[in-house]
Structure formats: C-alpha cells, structure tokens
Amino acid sequence: MADKKWFTLSHEEVERELETSKQTGLNSEAVDKRKEEYGLNKLPEDEQTPEWVKFLKQFNDILIYILLAAAVVTFFLGQYIDTAVILLVAVVNGVIGYVQESKAEKALEGIKNMLSLEAMVLRGEQKAEVDSIEIVPGDIVILNSGDKVPADLRLFEEHKLKVEESPLTGESTSVEKQTDKLDEDTPLGDRTNMVFSGTTVSSGKARGIVVETGESTEIGQINRSMNEVEEIKTPLLKQTDKFGKTISVVILVLAVLLFIAGLLIHDYEWGELLLSVISLTVASIPEGLPAILTIILALGVQSMADKHAIMRTLPSVETLGAVTVICSDKTGTLTKNEMTVQSVVTREKAYTVTGLGYEPEGKILDEKEKAVDVAEENDLKELLTAAKTVNEADIYKKGDQWEVSGDPTEGCLITLAEKSNVDIETLAIQSKIPFDSEYKYMAGLVEESNLKKIYIKGAPDRLFDMAGLGSEERAYWEEKMSERSKKGERVLAVGLKEVSEATDRIGHDDVQSGITLLGLTGIIDPPREEVIEAIKVCKEAGIQVKMITGDHKETALAIARELGITDQDKVTEGRELDELSEEEIRSLVEEVDVFARTSPQNKLQLVGALQNNGHVSAMTGDGVNDAPALKRADIGVAMGIKGTEVAKEASEMVLADDDFSTIVNAVREGRRVYDNLKKTILFILPTNGAEALLVMAALMLGIEMPLTPVQILYVNMITAVTIALALAFEPLEKGTMSKPPRDPDERLLSPYYVFRIIFVSVLIGGAIMWINQGLLAGYDSQHLNTITLHSLVFAQLFHLFNVRNERHFSLNDQFFDNKAAFLVSGLLIVFQLLVTYVPFLSNALGLYPIELNYWVYPVLVGLGVFVIVEIEKFITHKVLKKIKVRE
Ligand SMILES: Nc1ncnc2c1ncn2[C@@H]1O[C@H](COP(=O)(O)OP(=O)(O)OP(=O)(O)O)[C@@H](O)[C@H]1O
Ligand SMILES: [Ca+2]
C-alpha cells in the first residue's frame, strides 16, 4: 500500500477504503486477520553484527596484541607448549569477553522491551491501550500530547494538534495539523492531514486512521530505526580502556629496557632472555579486567530493573551513585495519587463528604452533619455538574476495588458526583481547553436549555483572578482555600461563565475574566509512607531532596513537612523564580526545599542552577514540557505509569512504579556498583604487580624464573575470572549511605589506591622471594615453581577478604551475605588441588605434586598478607582521619 497517496483522499474515503469505522474502530476478528495480512507494526531489526565478528572484536585490543606477539615469539623459540597456552588464554579471554558482552546486551535488550511503546486505539467501540507493534491498518488511533505516533495516520479529528517531525524532516519546530484533503504534489513536510510513525505529539490531541504500518511507513522507507541502540561503553569503562593502554605502553617500555639491561649486565643467552621478558609482559597484563567490569555493570542494571528502576543507559548506573540532589514531583511520586474529595465549599455553605477512595459510596453532609438533598442546593448541584462534565476520567470496579482510568484528580470528582442523592448530568462538550500544567486549568463549552456557558475547573488562585473578586469576597475564598491547603489538601476551584449563543470555539482568551466561582473542593492525597524513610536515607547520605510541584504552596509545604523534606516554612513559587536573576536562583536553590506552582520552565531553571552549583541532579517529570528539564538533568527520571513517551525518551531512568523510594533505592544500587568496580580493580592489579616484580627480580639478580609464562597466565585467569567475580555480588557496605556522595570527577584510582596496589604487590612478591631465596633456598625449581604459584593464588584468595571491606574486616552478617565469595573460595581450592595432583593437568602446567607439608607456605603467605593489609588499612584510616580533622 506504500505507494498510495492517502493525503489526497478525504477521511471518509480512507475510512471506506480500509473498511473501518471512525466511531467503533475495528473488531477483534478484523484485527487478527489484518495482523496476518500486514504483519507486525515494526521495523526490521538493525542490521545485526554477525556473531563471529562480535567474537573477533574481542581480540581487537592492545593487550591481546601483546599476547599474540608473545605467542609468535615463543613459537620461533621452539617453546610450543608456551605458544599453545598463550593462544589458549587469548581464546579463552575472547570467549569470556564475548559471553559477557552478549549477556550485557541481552540484559539491555530485555529492559528495552519493558519500555515497549504503547498506543491508545479504538477497537470494538472500546478505548484500549495496546502494544504499538499490534497496530494494523484501519485501526483508529487516539493521540494525546506527549504520545509517540505509532504508525502513519490519516487524521479525521484534531484539537490544536502540533507534531514534532524532526525524525522525518530534520526540522525541530512543531507542525500544525488539520484534517482536509491535500493536492497530489504536496511534499512530505506539508502533508498536514497526516501524522507519521516515529514523530511525537508536542501538544493537542487527535484521532486518525492507520493507513501504513511497519516497513511501509514513511520512516520505515527511510529505514531509520526508532530506538537507537545504546552504547555499551560507559565513561568508566572508557577510563579503564585508557588505563589499559597506558599500562601496555609502560609494560612494553619496561620489557625493552629489561631486555637491554639483561644483555648488558648478565650477558644472558638472548633466546632465554626473550622468553623471560615475554613472561614479564604476560604477567603484567590484567587480561580479565575489562570483562569483569562490564559484567558488574550489567548485573547492576539487572538488579535495578528488579527493583522497578529501569535504566535506559548503562553509564547512568555510575552517575547514579554520585547524585547529590533529587528533585521530585509531589503528586503520585511523594504521594499516593489516590484522591478523595473530603469537603466542598460554595458561596453560602460548607459541606463534608464521607467515604474514601474512588468507590461511589458515601454522603455529602452539611455543617450539622446531615445528609443534604442536592436537588435543593443550586450552587452545589451546578458545581457537581461542571466537575463531572469537564472531566476525562472514569471510575470502574475491578474485582471489589474501585479504580480510576485517567487523571485521579478528575476521577475523585466523578466519585463525588456519584455520591449525590440525585443524578448528576454529564453535558456534551462542544469545544474545550484541555488541561495543561502550564495554565493549570481546564474548561469546556456546553449548552443547556439554549444557554451557552463555559465550565471551568483548576487551580483556585488562577480562577480567583479570572473571577475579578472584590476584596471581601477574595478574603472569604482565600480563607476557605487556606484552611484546606494547610492540611495538605489539594484544592480545586470550579466556575462558570455565560457566553453568547454564537460562541462555538473557546480558547484561553475567553476565560481570562468574567468567571463566576461556584465553589472549591478539598481533596486529600495521602503521602506514601515509605517515602518518609527514603527521605531520611537521603539526608543521611548527603543527598538533598527538593519538592518541585505544580500544586499550591500551602499544600506543598504541608506535605513536605509531613514527609520530612523540610522543617522550615520556606517555599518559593514559580512566578517568583521568573523574577530572579540566574545568580539569585543559584543561591536560593541551596536554601529552599519546596517549590510550588511551578511551570516546566521553572524546572529547567532549577536544574540549571543546581548544576552550576556543582550538583549532580536527578529530576523527575512526566509531561511533554518536562522533557527539556529531564534532558538537562544528570539523571532524568520519567514516570513509568503516568509519564508520556516523550518524557521517557528524554530521561535516563524510568520508574516502573512512579515511587520516590525507587529513586533512592537506585541511588543506593548505583553506589554499590561503583564501589564494587573500584574494589575489583583494587583486587586484580596486585596479582599482576606481584608477578611482574618476581620476574624482574629474577632477571636482575640472575636467578631462575619463579614461574613459567604458562603458570603466570594460569594465575591471571584463575584470579580474575573466578575470585574477582565474587566482588560483583558484594552487598553495599554498611555506612556507605551515611557518607556524602562521591565527587563526580573523582578518579577511579585514587592516590591511596595506587599506594595500596603497590603495597600489596610488594608484599606478595617479597614474601615469595623470601621463601624461594631464603627458607627454601637450594630446592629444585619444580618445587619452587609449584609453591610460588600456590602462594600467589592463596595470597589473592585471602586478599579478596581484605578488599571486601573498605575500612576493616568484621564478622558481621554482611560478611556472610556474599555467598559468591565463599563459593569461589571453595572452588579455587579444589582447582588448586586438581592442577597439582591430577597428573595430566600438573604436567600441562609444569607443576610438581608437592608433599602435603609444603602447603604451609602458601597458606602462611595468604594469612600474612591478610593480617598485614588489615593493619595497614587500620593505620591508614587513622592517619587519613587525622589529616581530615586538621583540615
Ligand atoms: N485535571 C485537572 N483539571 C483542572 N485542574 C487541574 C487538574 N489537575 C491539576 N489541576 C490543577 O493544576 C495544578 C497543577 O497541576 P500539575 O499536574 O501541574 O501539578 P501537580 O500534579 O499538582 O503536582 P506535581 O507537579 O507535584 O505532580 C494543580 O494543583 C491543580 O490545582
Ligand atoms: Ca506534575
């Protein structure tokens, strides 16, 4: 169908052509049939990189090049076993890297599926949310502000629709749309009666008939994928990449120098010398490190997803751990978004309402607690009619639970109307002003017994202005509003305006004056209990929490105080921000925690100011106009439930449950992942350091090599791949969440860490030298090699338990929490026994099946390393603390 010019047809013709109905949509049989005929509504997957290319890519690494060069050299020296083992290591390393990368990719893929695009369609007379890949030609799609257009549509109904078509045309300004047919030669950018798959609705709403799906859509023909695949490399991994390159250069230079020194000082035979230098090179390369780091990140993303925080990019996992301020919406994030109207005030009377939740059971009582007859209360009756009419929500029973579809603020008004003892009418709306958080009200034009009027509901302060109240009247309403807001209730005002009979369209200009207030409704929205705890956690962790809400300042403050966000009375309104200079906002934002009546632009001002103050900010948002602030924030957080597609796309993280505590949990997870990445590096590098020292010492002293290249490779692989993996499962250290966030510019390897790596390398290397040259001097090389290998492995095994805790080792429950640490320790010991006593393996590695008493040495080296490093940690922390105190 792709060559059909749908825009040249009237929408009635399109309707006939596609055998559908604008009123009822397709029925399920038709949908099933068309799915078979046209296939799913998706673009072909991106040209997949073949698996073998992905595998070969693993070898495209300078460290591996060095290994391969070593293999070539050993081959020409006739050391075929060495060649084979070096090649084997390169291959094993490639396989591991490949498997890890596929795993990470799968995890991201799964998470992407969790974010699949939904679309609202009309099917069999019912509105329904469906996965957008299920959409077929002829479907009637309903678009709202913030939606992503799921297929190419021919519009037949629109209200102020504006669409951003940059994915298609490259133009970032929004295009206005209409529904009439167009000339055949209209270019793509001007086909205003169509909307195209992949573009987004920036404002307004519309309905259209699906004319093209999948590959036949315009975007499908351009063949650009809708979701670009995220890069797997994160800033941290890039940092380690660079680090790897630096190390390689250092190693190569060292190797050359050593080779020359060896020739000059000891006049070794050059072949033998070359072998030793190769040992050094191989020893110093941390082959397994990159793979381990990737898997730690991928596991982190996975565990965040399990906790309802869906990360859209891998680097954000690291950024999360550095967050210093969280800016949150109020409604639905800090509160439950379960609205109940508890009171109504009109010009003359005040009423209370019984019942909780959306269940339409309860009574409207007067001041004497007597059920009122709504038929006799004119203002109340009209208020209920207006509230029910200018309303797009619905309540329905699901099991024994009453639920709301649409905006809960509107749903509770339906429930209120249902509690009336007389039937409240829903009038037909002839023209409407949809709700927009910029304007904070919503209105509809209705006609009742030949009288035209506008019903309006929205923020009281806005409606007061429109009503042009006298000072006495204003004082009356302000007091009624304030009474309720101070209790944390959300107050909504309802009003009307009579208009001339000729009016058939309304806009914002028509409601700026002449409104008659019918009354106010006081709505409770209880805070989420778990948020109180989450906010305490933030405060302890040095993370500031700011409430940025569209609600009234007294309501905002009451809720903020209840949740513990602030204990002061400071609150700033959006319009006050508009008056301030950037400098002033920067200092204000450090002092005020509650911002009320804000517009989406205010959010952008606030993130900007926070960032200029050096903060790393997380910012929540749900609407289209929140997108700029979400993009600007270091971690944009979109709501999974009430958020729009545009908001999700602009953000780094999506909250599956819209809950503030989920953000805090994600930050905690971010800190854990970052700590474990650091610990892994701290753990792995001393293996290489110690080996390099041993090889260098042997060369310089002119003694026999303590390990063969094969043995060195074995040690590197076994420590990196088995023991280090345990660190991925290390729980968050106690006390991490009572420390301030890390400096975002902090280097992965702090000077202290560099010291620690050198210290432990020297410790292990020194201990082994002492055994070889002192205690067991004169023993045959097979014994010595075997004991050296076991000593290295045992030293690292014990060292793992040093690294698990930043401060000092203790036998708390956390120690036992990481089952993986014990599992790998057990496995490692079994491995060591196998390679020593199974003849086939010990031959391959060149090990000697040592007598039992020799095991004393490796165990003592391990224990010694453990104790000394613990002492070093203890002293260092004392010293560091002193330095800090003095500062
Ligand atoms: N459906 C609605 N119809 C009319 N007015 C509304 C509606 N929803 C909200 N309002 C009014 O607009 C104000 C701002 O609403 P908005 O959705 O921007 O923020 P919010 O939901 O109150 O708070 P938050 O930004 O914390 O989620 C509300 O305080 C209310 O007075
Ligand atoms: Ca909001």
Side-chain angles (χ1 to χ4, degrees):
M1 291 196 297
D3 42 0
K4 191 135 201 149
K5 295 203 156 57
W6 298 102
F7 58 96
T8 61
L9 305 179
S10 74
H11 50 78
E12 288 85 2
E13 284 167 330
V14 174
E15 185 182 18
R16 267 195 305 275
E17 180 101 8
L18 289 172
E19 292 168 26
T20 181
S21 150
K22 291 186 284 201
Q23 284 73 40
T24 64
L26 298 172
N27 59 26
S28 58
E29 279 160 62
V31 170
D32 288 342
K33 238 175 83 189
R34 288 178 196 209
K35 243 187 248 171
E36 255 166 52
E37 189 177 342
Y38 298 104
L40 289 176
N41 176 33
K42 60 174 189 183
L43 296 182
E45 301 284 310
D46 264 349
E47 196 60 29
Q48 288 270 323
T49 323
E51 296 300 310
W52 62 269
V53 174
K54 283 192 198 161
F55 178 69
L56 281 188
K57 263 197 186 154
Q58 303 297 327
F59 296 88
N60 185 12
D61 184 301
I62 181 150
L63 299 181
I64 302 293
Y65 291 161
I66 297 180
L67 272 187
L68 293 180
V72 173
V73 174
T74 47
F75 181 80
F76 283 112
L77 291 175
Q79 304 288 331
Y80 302 120
I81 296 191
D82 285 1
T83 316
V85 173
I86 294 176
L87 286 178
L88 185 70
V89 165
V91 170
V92 167
N93 197 62
V95 170
I96 291 172
Y98 168 77
V99 170
Q100 306 301 26
E101 201 161 283
S102 326
K103 253 200 200 143
E105 247 169 39
K106 277 233 180 68
L108 282 183
E109 192 64 33
I111 283 160
K112 228 165 59 195
N113 288 341
M114 289 166 83
L115 288 173
S116 76
L117 216 55
E118 304 251 287
M120 180 80 90
V121 294
L122 193 65
R123 280 184 182 168
E125 283 178 271
Q126 299 280 323
K127 279 193 200 175
E129 287 253 308
V130 298
D131 213 330
S132 70
I133 61 168
E134 308 272 332
I135 284 177
V136 294
D139 259 329
I140 305 299
V141 169
I142 302 164
L143 294 174
N144 277 305
S145 158
D147 287 349
K148 197 152 180 185
V149 179
D152 287 2
L153 313 181
R154 172 67 171 85
L155 297 171
F156 61 86
E157 196 185 298
E158 62 93 24
H159 180 84
K160 302 206 163 148
L161 183 70
K162 280 192 176 172
V163 180
E164 212 255 310
E165 298 189 331
S166 63
L168 212 57
T169 59
E171 301 271 338
S172 63
T173 45
S174 296
V175 187
E176 286 184 34
K177 296 287 180 177
Q178 53 90 40
T179 55
D180 298 333
K181 61 180 178 182
L182 297 164
D183 285 341
E184 186 144 347
D185 52 4
T186 315
L188 184 62
D190 296 333
R191 291 182 196 160
T192 50
N193 58 11
M194 302 266 304
V195 289
F196 303 100
S197 178
T199 61
T200 48
V201 179
S202 35
S203 64
K205 38 182 76 180
R207 290 180 181 218
I209 305 170
V210 174
V211 291
E212 303 289 354
T213 58
E215 274 179 88
S216 358
T217 59
E218 289 296 335
I219 196 120
Q221 301 201 336
I222 305 176
N223 201 8
R224 238 180 279 165
S225 124
M226 282 201 261
N227 301 312
E228 267 143 50
V229 195
E230 297 294 344
E231 263 264 35
I232 294 199
K233 279 262 148 66
T234 79
L236 192 111
L237 289 185
K238 282 192 197 126
Q239 210 179 327
T240 54
D241 258 11
K242 217 175 104 197
F243 172 72
K245 295 214 171 87
T246 319
I247 285 197
S248 315
V249 174
V250 173
I251 292 171
L252 282 177
V253 171
L254 215 69
V256 172
L257 287 180
L258 219 67
F259 186 75
I260 296 170
L263 280 181
L264 293 181
I265 304 171
H266 292 287
D267 73 343
Y268 287 119
E269 195 232 315
W270 76 272
E272 202 180 322
L273 185 60
L274 199 55
L275 262 184
S276 315
V277 171
I278 287 170
S279 298
L280 174 74
T281 332
V282 168
S284 328
I285 300 174
E287 295 91 356
L289 194 57
I292 292 284
L293 297 184
T294 310
I295 198 165
I296 292 180
L297 278 173
L299 285 171
V301 169
Q302 193 65 57
S303 91
M304 285 182 191
D306 295 341
K307 292 173 185 153
H308 307 294
I310 302 160
M311 304 308 299
R312 294 188 61 249
T313 62
L314 213 45
S316 321
V317 180
E318 302 160 22
T319 318
L320 259 179
V323 161
T324 59
V325 55
I326 304 176
C327 303
S328 175
D329 262 7
K330 172 179 69 72
T331 312
T333 314
L334 297 169
T335 65
K336 291 185 178 160
N337 212 4
E338 288 163 14
M339 310 269 180
T340 313
V341 179
Q342 290 221 309
S343 67
V344 181
V345 239
T346 62
R347 277 175 288 194
E348 275 107 35
K349 281 192 178 170
Y351 309 89
T352 51
V353 184
T354 65
L356 203 65
Y358 300 108
E359 187 184 13
E361 286 296 323
K363 289 201 167 64
I364 305 179
L365 307 174
D366 64 12
E367 270 142 303
K368 295 186 199 94
E369 310 243 313
K370 254 184 59 199
V372 296
D373 180 5
V374 175
E376 285 171 15
E377 319 272 319
N378 282 335
D379 273 10
L380 179 63
K381 188 169 176 213
E382 179 126 44
L383 180 145
L384 296 179
T385 310
K388 197 175 166 193
T389 300
V390 186
N391 199 315
E392 287 173 350
D394 246 325
I395 54 168
Y396 61 95
K397 200 168 181 179
K398 189 171 159 195
D400 1 287
Q401 208 46 31
W402 279 82
E403 300 206 356
V404 60
S405 76
D407 185 346
T409 308
E410 300 192 342
C412 72
L413 294 172
I414 306 265
T415 304
L416 171 70
E418 298 288 311
K419 286 177 183 172
S420 153
N421 63 323
V422 296
D423 270 351
I424 302 292
E425 242 185 301
T426 311
L427 304 177
I429 293 202
Q430 301 176 343
S431 167
K432 63 189 167 190
I433 305 173
F435 177 73
D436 183 329
S437 52
E438 192 94 48
Y439 292 96
K440 301 187 176 20
Y441 59 79
M442 172 173 175
L445 177 70
V446 296
E447 185 167 1
E448 200 183 19
S449 35
N450 286 334
L451 195 66
K452 282 212 173 177
K453 52 189 167 187
I454 299 172
Y455 278 148
I456 180 166
K457 71 179 207 304
D461 23 343
R462 294 293 137 96
L463 266 70
F464 293 171
D465 291 342
M466 299 168 177
L469 298 172
S471 60
E472 205 172 308
E473 248 184 313
R474 179 131 196 163
Y476 168 81
W477 288 116
E478 293 270 4
E479 191 203 316
K480 298 290 170 205
M481 171 175 72
S482 190
E483 267 170 30
R484 287 164 180 76
S485 310
K486 279 198 177 116
K487 287 189 281 181
E489 289 180 16
R490 143 178 293 214
V491 188
L492 222 57
V494 184
L496 68 79
K497 177 180 181 177
E498 284 172 15
V499 289
S500 78
E501 222 170 298
T503 318
D504 57 359
R505 258 187 170 248
I506 55 169
H508 290 289
D509 287 344
D510 301 309
V511 293
Q512 290 321 308
S513 65
I515 298 284
T516 310
L517 276 181
L518 288 166
L520 304 176
T521 57
I523 303 170
I524 56 155
D525 175 16
R528 292 174 181 261
E529 292 98 24
E530 66 274 23
V531 169
I532 298 180
E533 191 47 46
I535 284 172
K536 268 199 209 127
V537 171
C538 286
K539 298 223 150 149
E540 244 193 61
I543 301 167
Q544 296 184 34
V545 180
K546 311 268 175 205
M547 175 195 275
I548 303 181
T549 176
D551 218 331
H552 188 263
K553 65 178 183 189
E554 280 173 317
T555 311
L557 195 60
I559 301 280
R561 293 180 65 122
E562 197 168 333
L563 289 172
I565 292 179
T566 183
D567 49 11
Q568 298 174 317
D569 287 330
K570 280 191 223 154
V571 41
T572 301
E573 283 195 13
R575 54 160 185 233
E576 297 174 51
L577 287 177
D578 297 334
E579 311 278 287
L580 299 179
S581 72
E582 210 197 294
E583 282 301 307
E584 286 167 314
I585 298 182
R586 278 180 61 175
S587 74
L588 180 91
V589 80
E590 296 296 329
E591 276 155 35
V592 178
D593 297 322
V594 185
F595 296 88
R597 285 288 185 245
T598 50
S599 67
Q601 283 81 332
N602 294 142
K603 283 193 183 181
L604 192 59
Q605 286 175 310
L606 292 171
V607 220
L610 285 167
Q611 281 178 333
N612 289 338
N613 285 353
H615 279 288
V616 178
S617 58
M619 163 79 74
T620 67
D622 44 27
V624 190
N625 15 19
D626 288 336
L630 291 174
K631 276 217 179 98
R632 176 77 191 264
D634 301 278
I635 302 283
V637 184
M639 302 301 155
I641 302 170
K642 65 172 181 176
T644 55
E645 292 300 335
V646 174
K648 288 180 199 171
E649 217 146 84
S651 49
E652 275 76 33
M653 178 164 116
V654 177
L655 297 182
D657 55 4
D658 288 12
D659 185 346
F660 177 82
S661 339
T662 302
I663 310 177
V664 181
N665 288 337
V667 169
R668 180 187 284 132
E669 188 64 20
R671 286 195 180 186
R672 186 184 76 89
V673 169
Y674 188 81
D675 277 1
N676 290 349
L677 288 172
K678 278 198 332 192
K679 286 177 181 173
T680 305
I681 295 174
L682 184 62
F683 168 74
I684 288 186
L685 291 184
T687 320
N688 306 96
E691 288 166 346
L693 281 179
L694 285 174
V695 175
M696 272 199 290
L699 259 176
M700 296 321 288
L701 297 176
I703 52 178
E704 209 167 326
M705 279 294 145
L707 289 173
T708 65
V710 174
Q711 292 165 346
I712 289 175
L713 282 170
Y714 169 80
V715 173
N716 286 359
M717 293 311 282
I718 202 89
T719 50
V721 181
T722 62
I723 331 186
L725 199 58
L727 286 171
F729 299 94
E730 192 61 26
L732 185 76
E733 237 178 282
K734 281 214 178 83
T736 309
M737 286 304 275
S738 36
K739 276 193 287 197
R742 81 178 135 94
D743 176 357
D745 297 326
E746 178 189 285
R747 274 187 306 156
L748 203 52
L749 280 178
S750 64
Y752 171 55
Y753 268 34
V754 174
F755 159 75
R756 256 285 281 284
I757 290 167
I758 295 174
F759 179 74
V760 178
S761 302
V762 171
L763 198 59
I764 299 176
I768 293 174
M769 284 292 286
W770 180 43
I771 294 174
N772 288 356
Q773 297 302 308
L775 300 179
L776 298 180
Y779 272 61
D780 62 292
S781 66
Q782 273 201 317
H783 263 88
L784 290 185
N785 278 5
T786 308
I787 291 168
T788 301
L789 182 133
H790 288 313
S791 300
L792 264 173
V793 172
F794 271 73
Q796 278 296 58
L797 182 56
F798 279 90
H799 182 221
L800 174 73
F801 289 84
N802 288 132
V803 170
R804 287 185 56 195
N805 296 83
E806 181 87 11
R807 284 292 301 278
H808 52 77
F809 171 83
S810 77
L811 280 180
N812 54 20
D813 35 335
Q814 252 180 352
F815 175 76
F816 298 105
D817 256 5
N818 185 355
K819 306 266 182 311
F822 298 97
L823 190 71
V824 292
S825 305
L827 273 178
L828 193 72
I829 293 172
V830 172
F831 267 125
Q832 292 307 96
L833 292 174
L834 288 178
V835 294
T836 316
Y837 296 113
V838 174
F840 151 70
L841 292 173
S842 65
N843 283 342
L845 278 178
L847 293 178
Y848 182 77
I850 49 170
E851 297 76 17
L852 277 181
N853 55 322
Y854 288 112
W855 283 96
V856 164
Y857 298 101
V859 174
L860 278 182
V861 171
L863 269 175
V865 166
F866 176 75
V867 172
I868 295 174
V869 173
E870 281 306 306
I871 295 173
E872 174 275 321
K873 272 159 64 180
F874 181 78
I875 296 174
T876 306
H877 277 100
K878 276 261 149 78
V879 173
L880 286 180
K881 219 184 197 170
K882 271 231 180 84
I883 295 175
K884 243 185 216 149
V885 170
R886 225 174 280 151
E887 274 171 2

